Amino acid sequence: MRRSSATFCLEAVGTELGEVRIDLAADVSLRDVIAKTGIRQVWKTNRSSLDLAEQACNRALASAGIAAEDIGLVIVVTESNDNVLPPLAALLHNRLQLPHAIPAFDINQGCSGFVQALCTAVELVAQFGQVLLVCVDRYRSKLEQTDRSTQVVFSDASSAVILSQRPVQRILAQSHLTDGSGAKCLIQPNDSTGHSGYLSMDGSKVFLFTIQQVVPQILGVIEDAEISPDDINAFYLHQASKLVLDGISKRLPKDARILNEIADLGNTVSSTIPFLLESRLNEFRGSLNLMSGFGVGLSASTAVITPI
Amino acid sequence: MNQRIDSIESLSQIIATALETDQVVRTDTHASEIEKWDSLGHIMILAQLDDLVSGLLDSNPELSAATSVIEIWEIIAKHRGDR
Protein backbone atom coordinates (compact mmCIF):
# COMPACT_ATOMS: atom_id res chain seq x y z
CA MET A 1 0.00 0.00 0.00
CA ARG A 2 1.15 3.54 -0.73
CA ARG A 3 0.22 6.53 1.36
CA SER A 4 0.25 10.10 0.11
CA SER A 5 0.00 13.41 1.93
CA ALA A 6 -0.50 15.35 -1.31
CA THR A 7 -3.66 17.43 -1.45
CA PHE A 8 -5.60 18.46 -4.52
CA CYS A 9 -9.01 19.36 -5.87
CA LEU A 10 -10.70 17.69 -8.81
CA GLU A 11 -12.04 20.95 -10.22
CA ALA A 12 -13.87 19.90 -13.36
CA VAL A 13 -14.72 17.08 -15.73
CA GLY A 14 -15.51 17.21 -19.45
CA THR A 15 -16.51 14.29 -21.65
CA GLU A 16 -17.20 13.54 -25.30
CA LEU A 17 -18.74 10.45 -26.90
CA GLY A 18 -18.32 9.24 -30.45
CA GLU A 19 -20.88 10.88 -32.73
CA VAL A 20 -22.31 7.66 -34.23
CA ARG A 21 -24.77 5.81 -32.00
CA ILE A 22 -24.99 2.06 -32.54
CA ASP A 23 -28.32 0.84 -31.18
CA LEU A 24 -27.65 -2.72 -30.06
CA ALA A 25 -31.21 -3.07 -28.80
CA ALA A 26 -32.47 -2.73 -32.37
CA ASP A 27 -30.87 -6.08 -33.19
CA VAL A 28 -33.25 -8.77 -31.90
CA SER A 29 -30.50 -11.39 -32.01
CA LEU A 30 -28.59 -9.43 -29.37
CA ARG A 31 -31.46 -9.30 -26.86
CA ASP A 32 -29.99 -12.05 -24.67
CA VAL A 33 -26.51 -10.56 -24.87
CA ILE A 34 -27.73 -7.11 -23.84
CA ALA A 35 -29.41 -8.62 -20.78
CA LYS A 36 -26.04 -10.00 -19.69
CA THR A 37 -23.69 -7.15 -20.62
CA GLY A 38 -26.15 -4.43 -19.62
CA ILE A 39 -25.11 -2.38 -22.66
CA ARG A 40 -27.96 -1.14 -24.90
CA GLN A 41 -25.94 1.11 -27.17
CA VAL A 42 -22.34 1.91 -28.03
CA TRP A 43 -20.73 4.91 -29.73
CA LYS A 44 -18.31 5.17 -32.63
CA THR A 45 -16.35 8.15 -33.89
CA ASN A 46 -14.98 8.99 -37.30
CA ARG A 47 -12.92 11.79 -35.77
CA SER A 48 -9.29 11.60 -34.72
CA SER A 49 -8.32 11.03 -31.10
CA LEU A 50 -7.00 14.59 -31.11
CA ASP A 51 -10.39 16.00 -32.16
CA LEU A 52 -12.22 13.81 -29.67
CA ALA A 53 -9.89 14.82 -26.83
CA GLU A 54 -10.07 18.51 -27.69
CA GLN A 55 -13.84 18.57 -27.15
CA ALA A 56 -13.56 17.02 -23.67
CA CYS A 57 -10.75 19.42 -22.74
CA ASN A 58 -12.69 22.48 -23.85
CA ARG A 59 -15.67 21.36 -21.76
CA ALA A 60 -13.48 20.77 -18.70
CA LEU A 61 -11.71 24.12 -19.06
CA ALA A 62 -15.02 25.95 -19.47
CA SER A 63 -16.55 24.13 -16.53
CA ALA A 64 -13.59 24.96 -14.30
CA GLY A 65 -13.44 28.56 -15.52
CA ILE A 66 -9.73 28.07 -16.09
CA ALA A 67 -7.83 29.64 -18.97
CA ALA A 68 -5.61 27.43 -21.10
CA GLU A 69 -2.55 29.49 -20.14
CA ASP A 70 -3.03 28.45 -16.50
CA ILE A 71 -2.46 24.74 -17.16
CA GLY A 72 0.90 23.52 -15.86
CA LEU A 73 1.01 19.89 -16.99
CA VAL A 74 -0.78 17.71 -19.54
CA ILE A 75 -1.11 13.94 -19.17
CA VAL A 76 -2.93 11.96 -21.86
CA VAL A 77 -3.95 8.36 -21.25
CA THR A 78 -4.50 6.63 -24.58
CA GLU A 79 -3.99 3.47 -26.59
CA SER A 80 -5.33 5.19 -29.70
CA ASN A 81 -2.71 7.76 -30.55
CA ASP A 82 -3.34 9.09 -34.06
CA ASN A 83 0.38 8.66 -34.78
CA VAL A 84 3.10 6.34 -33.51
CA LEU A 85 4.90 9.51 -32.56
CA PRO A 86 4.79 12.26 -31.36
CA PRO A 87 2.75 11.76 -28.20
CA LEU A 88 -0.86 12.84 -28.49
CA ALA A 89 -0.22 15.15 -25.54
CA ALA A 90 2.08 17.27 -27.72
CA LEU A 91 -0.55 17.69 -30.44
CA LEU A 92 -3.24 18.41 -27.87
CA HIS A 93 -0.95 20.92 -26.17
CA ASN A 94 -0.63 22.77 -29.47
CA ARG A 95 -4.34 22.51 -30.33
CA LEU A 96 -5.33 24.02 -26.97
CA GLN A 97 -2.62 26.69 -27.20
CA LEU A 98 -1.20 25.79 -23.81
CA PRO A 99 1.93 27.50 -22.44
CA HIS A 100 5.23 26.34 -23.97
CA ALA A 101 7.03 25.98 -20.64
CA ILE A 102 5.11 22.93 -19.42
CA PRO A 103 5.57 19.16 -19.81
CA ALA A 104 3.06 17.11 -21.79
CA PHE A 105 3.27 13.34 -22.04
CA ASP A 106 1.23 10.23 -22.82
CA ILE A 107 0.60 7.20 -20.67
CA ASN A 108 -0.04 4.11 -22.80
CA GLN A 109 -2.65 2.43 -20.64
CA GLY A 110 -6.22 1.19 -20.91
CA CYS A 111 -9.00 0.75 -18.39
CA SER A 112 -6.80 1.20 -15.30
CA GLY A 113 -5.27 4.31 -16.85
CA PHE A 114 -7.44 7.00 -15.28
CA VAL A 115 -6.81 5.86 -11.72
CA GLN A 116 -3.09 5.28 -12.40
CA ALA A 117 -2.74 8.72 -13.97
CA LEU A 118 -4.80 10.41 -11.27
CA CYS A 119 -2.61 8.95 -8.53
CA THR A 120 0.46 10.13 -10.49
CA ALA A 121 -0.96 13.57 -11.19
CA VAL A 122 -1.90 14.18 -7.56
CA GLU A 123 1.80 13.90 -6.66
CA LEU A 124 2.71 16.42 -9.37
CA VAL A 125 0.12 19.11 -8.65
CA ALA A 126 2.28 20.81 -6.04
CA GLN A 127 5.17 21.08 -8.52
CA PHE A 128 3.36 21.96 -11.74
CA GLY A 129 0.11 23.60 -10.67
CA GLN A 130 -3.08 22.82 -12.51
CA VAL A 131 -2.99 19.48 -14.30
CA LEU A 132 -5.06 18.61 -17.36
CA LEU A 133 -5.58 14.84 -17.30
CA VAL A 134 -7.08 13.51 -20.52
CA CYS A 135 -8.30 10.01 -21.45
CA VAL A 136 -9.16 9.16 -25.03
CA ASP A 137 -9.64 5.94 -26.94
CA ARG A 138 -11.15 4.81 -30.22
CA TYR A 139 -11.34 1.07 -29.65
CA ARG A 140 -14.08 0.53 -32.25
CA SER A 141 -11.57 1.02 -35.04
CA LYS A 142 -9.55 -1.85 -33.56
CA LEU A 143 -12.39 -4.40 -33.45
CA GLU A 144 -12.92 -7.36 -35.74
CA GLN A 145 -16.37 -7.10 -37.32
CA THR A 146 -17.34 -10.66 -36.35
CA ASP A 147 -16.11 -10.56 -32.74
CA ARG A 148 -19.37 -10.12 -30.81
CA SER A 149 -17.57 -10.16 -27.44
CA THR A 150 -15.95 -6.80 -28.24
CA GLN A 151 -18.46 -5.34 -30.73
CA VAL A 152 -21.22 -5.22 -28.11
CA VAL A 153 -19.05 -3.67 -25.41
CA PHE A 154 -16.67 -0.90 -26.47
CA SER A 155 -17.41 2.76 -27.23
CA ASP A 156 -15.21 5.55 -28.56
CA ALA A 157 -14.95 8.45 -26.13
CA SER A 158 -12.75 10.99 -24.41
CA SER A 159 -12.69 12.70 -21.04
CA ALA A 160 -10.70 15.42 -19.34
CA VAL A 161 -10.35 16.34 -15.69
CA ILE A 162 -8.58 19.33 -14.18
CA LEU A 163 -6.74 19.02 -10.89
CA SER A 164 -5.70 22.06 -8.89
CA GLN A 165 -3.60 22.70 -5.77
CA ARG A 166 -6.66 23.70 -3.72
CA PRO A 167 -6.45 21.55 -0.57
CA VAL A 168 -9.86 19.92 -0.82
CA GLN A 169 -9.12 16.19 -1.19
CA ARG A 170 -6.41 13.64 -0.67
CA ILE A 171 -5.80 9.99 -1.44
CA LEU A 172 -6.25 8.05 1.77
CA ALA A 173 -4.92 4.77 0.38
CA GLN A 174 -4.03 3.38 -3.02
CA SER A 175 -2.84 0.12 -4.55
CA HIS A 176 -1.55 -0.75 -8.00
CA LEU A 177 -0.80 -4.06 -9.65
CA THR A 178 0.65 -5.15 -12.97
CA ASP A 179 0.69 -8.72 -14.26
CA GLY A 180 2.37 -8.79 -17.66
CA SER A 181 1.94 -12.56 -17.84
CA GLY A 182 -1.65 -11.74 -18.79
CA ALA A 183 -0.72 -9.27 -21.51
CA LYS A 184 -2.09 -11.45 -24.31
CA CYS A 185 -5.53 -11.54 -22.67
CA LEU A 186 -6.23 -8.07 -24.06
CA ILE A 187 -3.93 -7.13 -26.89
CA GLN A 188 -3.74 -5.39 -30.25
CA PRO A 189 -0.51 -6.79 -31.73
CA ASN A 190 1.71 -5.25 -34.40
CA ASP A 191 3.07 -7.43 -37.16
CA SER A 192 6.74 -7.39 -38.20
CA THR A 193 6.14 -4.35 -40.40
CA GLY A 194 4.57 -2.40 -37.58
CA HIS A 195 0.99 -2.71 -38.85
CA SER A 196 -1.61 -3.27 -36.16
CA GLY A 197 -3.95 -6.24 -36.11
CA TYR A 198 -7.37 -6.40 -34.49
CA LEU A 199 -7.90 -6.10 -30.77
CA SER A 200 -8.15 -9.54 -29.21
CA MET A 201 -9.76 -10.14 -25.82
CA ASP A 202 -9.80 -13.35 -23.80
CA GLY A 203 -12.84 -12.19 -21.91
CA SER A 204 -13.02 -15.04 -19.43
CA LYS A 205 -9.41 -14.55 -18.32
CA VAL A 206 -10.00 -10.84 -17.84
CA PHE A 207 -13.23 -11.62 -15.99
CA LEU A 208 -11.46 -14.02 -13.61
CA PHE A 209 -8.68 -11.45 -13.15
CA THR A 210 -11.25 -9.01 -11.79
CA ILE A 211 -12.63 -11.62 -9.39
CA GLN A 212 -9.29 -13.04 -8.25
CA GLN A 213 -7.05 -9.95 -8.32
CA VAL A 214 -9.14 -6.76 -8.40
CA VAL A 215 -11.63 -7.67 -5.67
CA PRO A 216 -8.83 -8.47 -3.17
CA GLN A 217 -7.14 -5.22 -4.17
CA ILE A 218 -10.32 -3.25 -3.45
CA LEU A 219 -10.84 -4.96 -0.09
CA GLY A 220 -7.15 -4.47 0.74
CA VAL A 221 -7.26 -0.74 0.03
CA ILE A 222 -10.33 -0.37 2.26
CA GLU A 223 -8.44 -2.17 5.03
CA ASP A 224 -5.29 -0.10 4.47
CA ALA A 225 -7.34 3.09 4.66
CA GLU A 226 -8.55 1.90 8.06
CA ILE A 227 -12.16 2.46 7.10
CA SER A 228 -15.22 0.27 6.83
CA PRO A 229 -16.96 -0.37 3.50
CA ASP A 230 -19.94 1.37 5.11
CA ASP A 231 -17.91 4.59 5.23
CA ILE A 232 -17.66 4.68 1.44
CA ASN A 233 -20.20 6.95 -0.23
CA ALA A 234 -19.85 5.32 -3.64
CA PHE A 235 -17.73 2.83 -5.58
CA TYR A 236 -16.52 4.32 -8.86
CA LEU A 237 -15.61 1.09 -10.65
CA HIS A 238 -14.45 0.77 -14.26
CA GLN A 239 -17.58 0.12 -16.30
CA ALA A 240 -16.41 -3.01 -18.13
CA SER A 241 -19.80 -4.72 -18.42
CA LYS A 242 -22.71 -5.66 -16.17
CA LEU A 243 -21.24 -9.16 -15.87
CA VAL A 244 -18.03 -7.76 -14.40
CA LEU A 245 -19.77 -5.21 -12.18
CA ASP A 246 -22.08 -7.92 -10.84
CA GLY A 247 -19.11 -10.22 -10.21
CA ILE A 248 -17.43 -7.56 -8.09
CA SER A 249 -20.68 -6.45 -6.38
CA LYS A 250 -21.32 -9.96 -5.08
CA ARG A 251 -18.05 -9.78 -3.17
CA LEU A 252 -18.70 -6.39 -1.57
CA PRO A 253 -21.19 -5.63 1.20
CA LYS A 254 -24.80 -5.86 0.03
CA ASP A 255 -25.53 -2.19 0.64
CA ALA A 256 -22.40 -0.93 -1.15
CA ARG A 257 -23.38 1.83 -3.60
CA ILE A 258 -21.81 0.70 -6.85
CA LEU A 259 -22.35 3.21 -9.61
CA ASN A 260 -23.53 1.82 -12.94
CA GLU A 261 -24.00 3.92 -16.07
CA ILE A 262 -22.95 1.38 -18.64
CA ALA A 263 -26.30 0.89 -20.38
CA ASP A 264 -26.21 3.97 -22.58
CA LEU A 265 -22.46 4.63 -22.70
CA GLY A 266 -20.83 1.23 -23.21
CA ASN A 267 -17.29 0.56 -22.07
CA THR A 268 -15.42 3.79 -22.82
CA VAL A 269 -12.07 2.27 -21.68
CA SER A 270 -10.10 4.76 -19.53
CA SER A 271 -12.95 7.29 -19.59
CA THR A 272 -15.57 5.24 -17.74
CA ILE A 273 -14.77 6.68 -14.30
CA PRO A 274 -14.62 10.31 -15.53
CA PHE A 275 -18.09 9.78 -17.05
CA LEU A 276 -19.31 8.65 -13.61
CA LEU A 277 -17.68 11.69 -12.01
CA GLU A 278 -19.11 14.25 -14.41
CA SER A 279 -22.60 14.39 -12.93
CA ARG A 280 -21.46 13.86 -9.34
CA LEU A 281 -18.53 16.19 -8.91
CA ASN A 282 -19.77 18.11 -5.87
CA GLU A 283 -20.82 14.89 -4.18
CA PHE A 284 -17.45 13.32 -5.02
CA ARG A 285 -15.48 16.22 -3.57
CA GLY A 286 -17.49 16.21 -0.36
CA SER A 287 -17.50 12.51 0.48
CA LEU A 288 -15.28 9.47 0.89
CA ASN A 289 -15.20 7.43 -2.31
CA LEU A 290 -13.36 4.48 -3.82
CA MET A 291 -12.35 4.24 -7.47
CA SER A 292 -10.92 1.22 -9.24
CA GLY A 293 -9.78 0.73 -12.83
CA PHE A 294 -8.61 -2.59 -14.28
CA GLY A 295 -7.90 -4.29 -17.57
CA VAL A 296 -5.14 -4.12 -20.19
CA GLY A 297 -1.73 -5.20 -18.93
CA LEU A 298 -3.18 -6.92 -17.07
CA SER A 299 -3.29 -4.12 -14.54
CA ALA A 300 -5.42 -2.68 -11.78
CA SER A 301 -5.35 0.48 -9.71
CA THR A 302 -7.58 1.32 -6.77
CA ALA A 303 -7.68 4.44 -4.59
CA VAL A 304 -9.75 5.72 -1.69
CA ILE A 305 -10.17 9.49 -1.91
CA THR A 306 -11.35 11.58 1.02
CA PRO A 307 -12.30 15.19 1.57
CA ILE A 308 -9.91 17.02 3.92
CA MET B 1 -35.20 -25.69 -14.22
CA ASN B 2 -33.22 -27.25 -11.42
CA GLN B 3 -30.51 -24.75 -10.59
CA ARG B 4 -28.36 -27.19 -8.60
CA ILE B 5 -25.24 -28.69 -10.11
CA ASP B 6 -25.39 -32.22 -8.73
CA SER B 7 -24.35 -34.06 -11.87
CA ILE B 8 -22.58 -33.44 -15.15
CA GLU B 9 -25.99 -33.66 -16.82
CA SER B 10 -27.30 -30.76 -14.73
CA LEU B 11 -24.14 -28.80 -15.56
CA SER B 12 -24.84 -29.33 -19.27
CA GLN B 13 -28.31 -27.90 -18.80
CA ILE B 14 -27.01 -24.91 -16.86
CA ILE B 15 -24.44 -24.16 -19.56
CA ALA B 16 -27.16 -24.30 -22.22
CA THR B 17 -29.27 -21.90 -20.16
CA ALA B 18 -26.37 -19.51 -19.58
CA LEU B 19 -25.64 -19.40 -23.30
CA GLU B 20 -29.34 -19.15 -24.17
CA THR B 21 -28.67 -21.48 -27.05
CA ASP B 22 -31.11 -23.66 -28.94
CA GLN B 23 -28.34 -26.16 -29.61
CA VAL B 24 -28.20 -29.26 -27.43
CA VAL B 25 -25.38 -29.20 -24.87
CA ARG B 26 -24.41 -32.75 -23.94
CA THR B 27 -22.04 -33.96 -21.27
CA ASP B 28 -19.34 -34.46 -23.91
CA THR B 29 -19.91 -31.16 -25.71
CA HIS B 30 -16.92 -28.97 -26.54
CA ALA B 31 -17.16 -25.19 -26.86
CA SER B 32 -16.28 -25.33 -30.55
CA GLU B 33 -19.54 -27.21 -31.21
CA ILE B 34 -21.78 -24.46 -29.83
CA GLU B 35 -22.05 -21.24 -31.80
CA LYS B 36 -22.70 -19.05 -28.76
CA TRP B 37 -19.92 -20.61 -26.66
CA ASP B 38 -17.38 -17.94 -27.64
CA SER B 39 -15.40 -15.58 -25.41
CA LEU B 40 -18.54 -13.72 -24.36
CA GLY B 41 -20.46 -16.96 -23.92
CA HIS B 42 -17.76 -18.34 -21.67
CA ILE B 43 -18.07 -15.32 -19.38
CA MET B 44 -21.84 -15.91 -19.26
CA ILE B 45 -21.20 -19.49 -18.17
CA LEU B 46 -18.74 -18.40 -15.49
CA ALA B 47 -21.17 -15.77 -14.20
CA GLN B 48 -23.90 -18.40 -13.95
CA LEU B 49 -21.58 -20.78 -12.10
CA ASP B 50 -20.63 -17.95 -9.75
CA ASP B 51 -24.25 -17.88 -8.56
CA LEU B 52 -24.39 -21.63 -8.04
CA VAL B 53 -21.03 -22.79 -6.67
CA SER B 54 -19.69 -20.79 -3.77
CA GLY B 55 -16.12 -19.61 -4.15
CA LEU B 56 -15.61 -21.37 -7.49
CA LEU B 57 -14.41 -18.31 -9.41
CA ASP B 58 -12.29 -16.97 -6.57
CA SER B 59 -9.79 -19.80 -6.61
CA ASN B 60 -9.83 -21.63 -9.94
CA PRO B 61 -8.05 -19.67 -12.68
CA GLU B 62 -8.08 -22.75 -14.92
CA LEU B 63 -11.79 -22.14 -15.49
CA SER B 64 -10.93 -19.59 -18.17
CA ALA B 65 -9.30 -22.27 -20.31
CA ALA B 66 -11.91 -24.98 -19.68
CA THR B 67 -13.57 -25.37 -23.06
CA SER B 68 -15.77 -28.39 -22.55
CA VAL B 69 -18.51 -29.53 -20.20
CA ILE B 70 -16.26 -32.28 -18.88
CA GLU B 71 -13.39 -29.91 -18.08
CA ILE B 72 -15.70 -27.57 -16.18
CA TRP B 73 -17.28 -30.48 -14.33
CA GLU B 74 -13.85 -31.75 -13.25
CA ILE B 75 -12.92 -28.31 -11.90
CA ILE B 76 -16.18 -28.08 -9.95
CA ALA B 77 -15.67 -31.57 -8.55
CA LYS B 78 -12.11 -30.75 -7.52
CA HIS B 79 -13.25 -27.46 -6.00
CA ARG B 80 -15.90 -29.22 -3.93
CA GLY B 81 -13.40 -31.87 -2.90
CA ASP B 82 -10.93 -29.23 -1.79
CA ARG B 83 -13.43 -27.54 0.49
Side-chain angles (χ1 to χ4, degrees):
Chain A
M1 197 225 18
R2 299 178 185 279
R3 287 195 179 275
S4 170
S5 58
T7 59
F8 69 100
C9 179
L10 206 159
E11 296 282 358
V13 183
T15 61
E16 174 76 356
L17 280 167
E19 67 278 9
V20 181
R21 186 175 79 96
I22 301 171
D23 183 5
L24 301 174
D27 185 341
V28 176
S29 71
L30 293 177
R31 193 179 53 201
D32 300 338
V33 172
I34 292 169
K36 299 285 174 70
T37 62
I39 300 170
R40 291 192 296 248
Q41 58 187 19
V42 291
W43 301 84
K44 176 178 170 51
T45 190
N46 294 314
R47 289 174 285 173
S48 66
S49 291
L50 176 61
D51 289 344
L52 203 58
E54 181 190 13
Q55 289 296 322
C57 291
N58 285 335
R59 290 202 172 105
L61 288 165
S63 174
I66 290 172
E69 59 260 33
D70 293 330
I71 295 295
L73 168 65
V74 182
I75 302 174
V76 176
V77 178
T78 187
E79 294 172 315
S80 306
N81 192 355
D82 298 322
N83 308 283
V84 175
L85 57 93
L88 185 59
L91 299 176
L92 189 61
H93 172 279
N94 181 60
R95 180 71 69 85
L96 296 172
Q97 294 294 289
L98 301 179
H100 277 110
I102 67 169
F105 57 84
D106 287 1
I107 294 177
N108 183 333
Q109 188 53 279
C111 303
S112 63
F114 175 72
V115 183
Q116 280 191 11
L118 180 70
C119 292
T120 303
V122 164
E123 299 300 326
L124 298 174
V125 163
Q127 186 177 353
F128 293 100
Q130 293 174 130
V131 178
L132 178 61
L133 169 52
V134 185
C135 298
V136 57
D137 262 303
R138 295 179 298 115
Y139 262 33
R140 294 210 66 82
S141 63
K142 307 172 186 290
L143 308 182
E144 193 165 11
Q145 198 64 38
T146 55
D147 183 0
R148 72 167 185 153
S149 64
T150 54
Q151 284 284 349
V152 299
V153 170
F154 290 112
S155 286
D156 298 335
S158 66
S159 59
V161 305
I162 295 173
L163 306 179
S164 79
Q165 293 165 300
R166 282 205 301 141
V168 172
Q169 300 166 274
R170 74 182 179 92
I171 297 174
L172 197 55
Q174 61 183 290
S175 176
H176 308 272
L177 75 86
T178 304
D179 180 5
S181 71
K184 288 186 178 175
C185 297
L186 198 42
I187 191 168
Q188 184 189 15
N190 280 338
D191 65 19
S192 58
T193 62
H195 290 103
S196 299
Y198 290 116
L199 182 143
S200 156
M201 180 172 73
D202 185 335
S204 56
K205 278 192 177 159
V206 179
F207 180 60
L208 287 181
F209 170 73
T210 64
I211 303 300
Q212 295 170 355
Q213 302 284 334
V214 178
V215 170
Q217 183 185 62
I218 290 171
L219 297 174
V221 168
I222 292 171
E223 188 177 334
D224 289 341
E226 298 177 342
I227 58 172
S228 154
D230 297 339
D231 298 326
I232 296 172
N233 170 60
F235 288 74
Y236 290 74
L237 305 182
H238 167 55
Q239 307 282 290
S241 74
K242 181 176 179 292
L243 287 159
V244 173
L245 289 171
D246 287 350
I248 297 174
S249 304
K250 285 175 195 168
R251 289 160 175 84
L252 296 177
K254 278 191 168 53
D255 54 354
R257 181 176 165 229
I258 296 167
L259 303 177
N260 184 338
E261 288 189 356
I262 200 166
D264 294 324
L265 297 176
N267 179 339
T268 56
V269 193
S270 52
S271 287
T272 63
I273 294 173
F275 270 97
L276 293 173
L277 287 167
E278 190 175 28
S279 59
R280 301 176 176 86
L281 201 48
N282 285 332
E283 176 192 321
F284 175 76
R285 284 192 292 243
S287 57
L288 182 72
N289 295 284
L290 180 145
M291 58 174 61
S292 183
F294 41 84
V296 171
L298 297 171
S299 64
S301 289
T302 298
V304 170
I305 299 175
T306 182
I308 292 173
Chain B
M1 192 200 86
N2 181 5
Q3 282 285 302
R4 289 178 54 195
I5 306 176
D6 47 17
S7 65
I8 191 169
E9 288 77 16
S10 61
L11 173 63
S12 305
Q13 189 58 48
I14 282 161
I15 288 173
T17 303
L19 295 172
E20 306 212 27
T21 179
D22 295 330
Q23 291 182 267
V24 176
V25 178
R26 302 178 310 273
T27 58
D28 61 350
T29 293
H30 190 275
S32 60
E33 300 168 51
I34 306 294
E35 186 183 356
K36 290 186 175 178
W37 195 342
D38 56 7
S39 175
L40 182 61
H42 200 64
I43 301 175
M44 293 175 181
I45 293 169
L46 296 183
Q48 188 83 18
L49 295 177
D50 196 27
D51 288 336
L52 300 173
V53 186
S54 175
L56 181 68
L57 269 52
D58 299 81
S59 56
N60 294 284
E62 65 271 32
L63 275 168
S64 65
T67 52
S68 68
V69 176
I70 290 172
E71 284 178 79
I72 294 174
W73 174 247
E74 287 173 347
I75 293 168
I76 292 171
K78 176 176 169 289
H79 174 76
R80 285 174 168 162
D82 287 346
R83 290 165 69 85

